């Protein structure tokens, strides 16, 4: 029959070839992922089983206030939101490991909405979910109106898109930030957390952000994930920070970037949380306790080198980490960034990052 319809024949052949190509590529892509590691059950992780938290315990150095959003919906969009669990859990444990008690507060108090992205969850994050003290604090957050700023050495604003709606105009937040900042204590904020800073005026009449170097979730990061963000959010955070006189430090999309301006420390995205929290500890006058760097953080280092110095240098770093130093690299994160490049239409980077993921897999297999 197909001999009578050559166009149909070649159309079907082309479609079949494309399907085979897509399926083959999909299988190859899946094969690049650390499937054995991904099968590990981290859901039962406990803080007491993590050496960083249970060994060489540091005596009490005071208290840090972590602030999370109470907002569960992005404006009128109907899209759910809340605070990002990983941005709280990782900072919480850095502060705890370094001798600080952590209180959790929110605009409304009580149990705020939380966003849990299973693709981002690792050992510390599941330990947080299994930690009865941490869970009590996040289920019974302190209402911001009841916070006494003088009780704390630092305040840390957790990200989550909900923060864009209930942080900027909150008078209690503005008062807490002003008091802690003017006492030369430490202000930290990550991702959308810096939205807490956009309306803070100091006692001398100047805006907190005037001439300060800051980072936050960028316009590019926001608009890639939510193309209609400008109509959903009250503002784009990067634009608002700049409009208030800040000098915006923009790093590579979805990679670790922090800005450290005296006692004001801000981070660009969730991958900046570890470094931001440890920088806060340094600003408080202490050397951060030794912590084994995670495979995710090592993957971020590789991606940074790839972006700044190219594939060859990135492969050299992979060799150093995997072979010379016997450290782990989270290939899932490497592969995720290739997908991001594809979403942006950057085909060269898409295949370049896939090649880097493949290289890391082969090195891990042969070490």
């Amino acid at each position: 029959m197909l001999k009578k319809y050559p166009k149909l024949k070649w159309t079907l052949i082309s479609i079949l070839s494309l399907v085979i190509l897509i399926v083959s590529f999909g299988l190859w892509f899946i094969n690049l992922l650390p499937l054995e590691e991904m099968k590990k059950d981290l859901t039962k992780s406990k803080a007491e089983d993590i050496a960083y938290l249970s060994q060489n315990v540091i005596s009490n150095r005071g208290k840090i206030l972590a602030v999370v959003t109470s907002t569960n919906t992005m404006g009128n969009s109907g899209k759910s939101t809340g605070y990002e669990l990983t941005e709280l859990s990782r900072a919480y444990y850095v502060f705890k490991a370094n001798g600080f008690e952590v209180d959790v507060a929110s605009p409304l108090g009580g149990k705020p909405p939380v966003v849990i992205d299973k693709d981002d969850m690792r050992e510390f994050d599941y330990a947080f979910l299994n930690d009865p003290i941490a869970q009590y604090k996040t289920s019974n957050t302190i209402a911001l109106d009841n916070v006494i700023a003088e009780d704390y050495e630092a305040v840390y604003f957790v990200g989550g898109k909900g923060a864009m709606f209930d942080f900027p105009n909150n008078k209690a937040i503005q008062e807490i930030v002003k008091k802690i900042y003017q006492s030369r204590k430490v202000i930290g904020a990550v991702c959308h957390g810096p939205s807490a800073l956009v309306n803070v005026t100091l006692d001398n009449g100047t805006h907190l952000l005037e001439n300060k170097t800051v980072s936050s979730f960028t316009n590019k990061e926001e608009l890639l994930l939510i193309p209609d963000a400008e109509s959903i959010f009250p503002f784009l955070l990067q634009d608002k920070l700049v409009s208030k006189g800040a000098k915006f430090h923009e790093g590579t999309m979805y990679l670790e970037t922090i800005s450290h301006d005296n006692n004001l420390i801000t981070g660009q995205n969730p991958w900046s949380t570890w470094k931001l929290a440890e920088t806060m500890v340094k600003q408080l006058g202490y050397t951060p306790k030794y912590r084994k760097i995670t495979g995710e953080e090592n993957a971020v280092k590789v991606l940074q080198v790839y972006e700044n110095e190219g594939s060859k240098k990135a492969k050299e770093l992979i060799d150093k980490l995997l072979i010379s130093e016997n450290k782990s690299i989270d290939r899932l994160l490497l592969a995720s960034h290739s997908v991001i490049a594809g979403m942006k239409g950057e085909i060269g980077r898409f295949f370049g990052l896939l090649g880097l993921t493949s290289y890391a897999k082969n090195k891990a297999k042969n070490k």
Side-chain angles (χ1 to χ4, degrees):
M1 176 181 174
L2 291 179
K3 290 181 180 179
K4 297 181 180 180
Y5 304 98
K7 289 184 179 180
L8 177 60
K9 171 185 173 181
W10 288 111
T11 298
L12 291 174
I13 290 174
S14 298
I15 292 172
L16 181 60
S17 299
L18 182 61
V19 169
I20 292 172
L21 181 64
I22 292 172
V23 170
S24 299
F25 177 80
L27 292 173
W28 177 75
F29 182 84
I30 291 171
N31 191 48
L32 294 179
L33 303 179
L35 299 179
E36 289 304 315
E37 291 181 29
M38 291 168 67
K39 289 178 184 177
K40 290 180 181 177
D41 185 9
L42 297 177
T43 61
K44 296 180 176 62
S45 299
K46 293 186 177 181
E48 56 264 34
D49 297 329
I50 300 174
Y52 173 65
L53 302 174
S54 61
Q55 297 178 9
N56 304 315
V57 176
I58 296 172
S59 58
N60 190 275
R61 290 169 168 171
K63 296 202 296 182
I64 293 176
L65 181 70
V67 181
V68 301
T69 180
S70 294
T71 299
N72 61 10
T73 305
M74 297 184 213
N76 298 318
S77 69
K79 297 178 180 179
S80 63
T81 187
Y83 71 88
E84 293 285 343
L85 182 123
T86 61
E87 294 176 23
L88 175 59
S89 57
R90 298 173 188 189
Y92 178 91
Y93 281 134
V94 167
F95 299 149
K96 289 278 288 182
N98 283 281
F100 294 93
E101 182 182 347
V102 184
D103 285 343
V104 185
S106 65
L108 299 180
K111 187 172 183 177
V114 58
V115 175
I116 299 176
D117 187 336
K118 290 187 177 180
D119 290 339
D120 294 335
M121 295 287 286
R122 300 293 188 272
E123 182 182 29
F124 282 84
D125 312 307
Y126 284 112
F128 187 84
L129 291 180
N130 295 323
D131 185 330
I133 295 176
Q135 289 308 296
Y136 178 83
K137 290 184 176 184
T138 54
S139 296
N140 300 273
T141 63
I142 304 166
L144 283 170
D145 287 338
N146 297 328
V147 167
I148 300 172
E150 290 80 4
D151 289 349
Y152 300 95
E153 303 305 310
V155 61
Y156 167 66
F157 292 98
V158 180
K161 298 182 189 304
M164 294 286 286
F165 298 93
D166 61 0
F167 279 10
N169 297 314
N170 187 285
K171 298 299 182 183
I173 283 179
Q174 293 166 26
E175 192 65 18
I176 292 166
V177 171
K178 183 175 72 171
K179 286 181 177 178
I180 289 181
Y181 183 82
Q182 291 181 163
S183 299
R184 298 195 177 281
K185 295 180 179 180
V186 178
I187 308 290
V190 72
C191 201
H192 291 90
S195 61
L197 312 176
V198 300
N199 289 317
V200 178
T201 301
L202 304 177
D203 284 340
N204 63 10
T206 64
H207 197 286
L208 169 71
L209 292 170
E210 190 173 325
N211 294 317
K212 302 293 194 310
T213 300
V214 299
S215 296
S216 76
F217 210 56
T218 66
N219 289 354
K220 290 178 182 177
E221 288 170 326
E222 197 78 87
L223 292 168
L224 181 65
L225 296 178
I226 307 179
D228 56 345
E230 291 179 271
S231 63
I232 291 176
F233 297 114
F235 49 79
L236 292 181
L237 185 50
Q238 177 179 344
D239 290 345
K240 178 64 78 171
L241 293 169
V242 171
S243 75
K244 297 295 183 175
K247 294 179 283 188
F248 194 82
H249 174 209
E250 181 175 357
T252 305
M253 290 180 72
Y254 308 117
L255 293 182
E256 176 192 278
T257 298
I258 72 162
S259 293
H260 184 184
D261 196 320
N262 295 311
N263 57 331
L264 178 62
I265 304 163
T266 48
Q268 181 168 313
N269 47 43
W271 297 273
S272 309
T273 302
W274 290 115
K275 186 175 181 180
L276 185 144
E278 289 177 336
T279 303
M280 288 180 67
V281 171
K282 290 179 186 177
Q283 185 63 30
L284 286 164
Y286 303 98
T287 299
K289 181 179 179 180
Y290 169 77
R291 177 179 60 83
K292 183 179 178 181
I293 300 303
T294 66
E296 186 181 45
E297 290 172 278
N298 285 328
V300 167
K301 290 179 182 178
V302 170
L303 289 164
Q304 289 280 24
V305 170
Y306 177 83
E307 296 297 335
N308 297 327
E309 303 178 55
S311 179
K312 181 180 178 181
K313 289 292 184 181
K315 289 178 179 178
E316 289 175 3
L317 179 56
I318 288 173
D319 291 342
K320 179 183 177 184
L321 292 170
L322 290 178
I323 308 302
S324 303
E325 300 179 2
N326 196 32
K327 294 179 178 177
S328 64
I329 296 174
D330 189 333
R331 294 203 308 276
L332 179 59
L333 187 58
L334 297 181
S336 296
H337 273 260
S338 72
V339 174
I340 291 170
M343 290 170 61
K344 294 166 64 180
E346 298 172 346
I347 304 304
R349 285 185 67 251
F350 171 72
F351 284 107
L353 288 167
L354 282 181
L356 203 63
T357 308
S358 179
Y359 186 83
K361 178 191 174 181
N362 292 332
K363 287 294 179 179
K365 185 193 302 183
N366 297 325
K367 72 173 182 176

